[in-house]
Amino acid sequence: MILIANIIIALFILVGVFFTVVTVVGILRLPDVYTRAHAASKSATLGVLGILIGVFLHFWWIKGHFSIQLLLGSVFLFITSPVGGHLMSRAAYMSGVKPTELTVGDDLGDAIGEQKSHEE
């Protein structure tokens, strides 16, 4: 039983490390602030969640300690990290940071234009 538990724990931690490495590669290689924010918020969230769940399972199954703090930290991170990434990207857009030339569409610009036309 301990072997199976250790394999499951190791899988969660390895998945977390994989997504963390994907985050680093995305931040270093992606062309503009919007794609970097996407990489940082989405894959970093999955990376940290994988590691936190692996640690939670280790303490619960191996050590016999149920940690509500790890569960609450996972839930809080899952809710706040993507929202924070979205708000940082929106703030960059509203500040006038231009996306890369490879960007295909500008849905936020269309929405802001519609809102301004309704206000006038």
Side-chain angles (χ1 to χ4, degrees):
M1 182 64 183
I2 297 293
L3 178 64
I4 295 171
N6 283 332
I7 290 172
I8 293 171
I9 291 165
L11 283 175
F12 272 106
I13 292 175
L14 286 174
V15 166
V17 168
F18 171 75
F19 278 111
T20 303
V21 170
V22 167
T23 300
V24 171
V25 171
I27 289 174
L28 293 176
R29 297 289 308 225
L30 291 173
D32 63 353
V33 68
Y34 304 108
T35 54
R36 289 178 186 160
H38 179 76
S41 65
K42 305 299 186 244
S43 59
T45 301
L46 291 175
V48 174
L49 281 177
I51 293 170
L52 282 176
I53 290 172
V55 171
F56 169 77
L57 292 176
H58 170 75
F59 279 109
W60 187 23
W61 291 345
I62 306 299
K63 303 291 183 185
H65 175 69
F66 186 84
S67 176
I68 194 71
Q69 289 92 353
L70 284 172
L71 285 180
L72 289 174
S74 299
V75 169
F76 182 75
L77 178 76
F78 185 73
I79 292 170
T80 59
S81 183
V83 172
H86 173 76
L87 290 176
M88 286 186 292
S89 295
R90 187 176 175 100
Y93 187 87
M94 299 301 259
S95 297
V97 177
K98 299 292 182 201
T100 182
E101 294 83 25
L102 302 173
T103 301
V104 176
D106 186 7
D107 294 334
L108 186 58
D110 297 339
I112 291 172
E114 287 178 14
Q115 182 181 7
K116 287 182 180 179
S117 67
H118 285 22
E119 290 175 358
E120 295 175 350

